[in-house]
Amino acid sequence: MHENLNQWNFVAASYVIGLAGTLGLVAQSWLAMRKAEARRDRSRGK
């Protein structure tokens, strides 16, 4: 007897993890950019 594993579950999971990680990195970078711009504006007296 031999059971076959369906590799598409792993492929789909890796895409979900990859996309979620990419979106998380983009969101974190965007928030850090906004924070840095606000700090720059405060230091310039705007």
Side-chain angles (χ1 to χ4, degrees), residues 3-33:
E3 279 189 44
N4 289 330
L5 292 176
N6 187 0
Q7 75 273 12
W8 291 111
N9 293 334
F10 297 104
V11 172
S14 66
Y15 272 107
V16 168
I17 291 169
L19 287 174
T22 300
L23 291 175
L25 184 62
V26 167
Q28 180 184 9
S29 298
W30 183 70
L31 290 172
M33 179 189 65

Side-chain angles (χ1 to χ4, degrees), residues 26-46:
V26 167
Q28 180 184 9
S29 298
W30 183 70
L31 290 172
M33 179 189 65
R34 286 183 47 123
K35 184 178 176 183
E37 287 175 345
R39 191 171 55 235
R40 180 201 61 200
D41 290 343
R42 278 195 313 271
S43 70
R44 290 184 177 177
K46 289 187 178 180

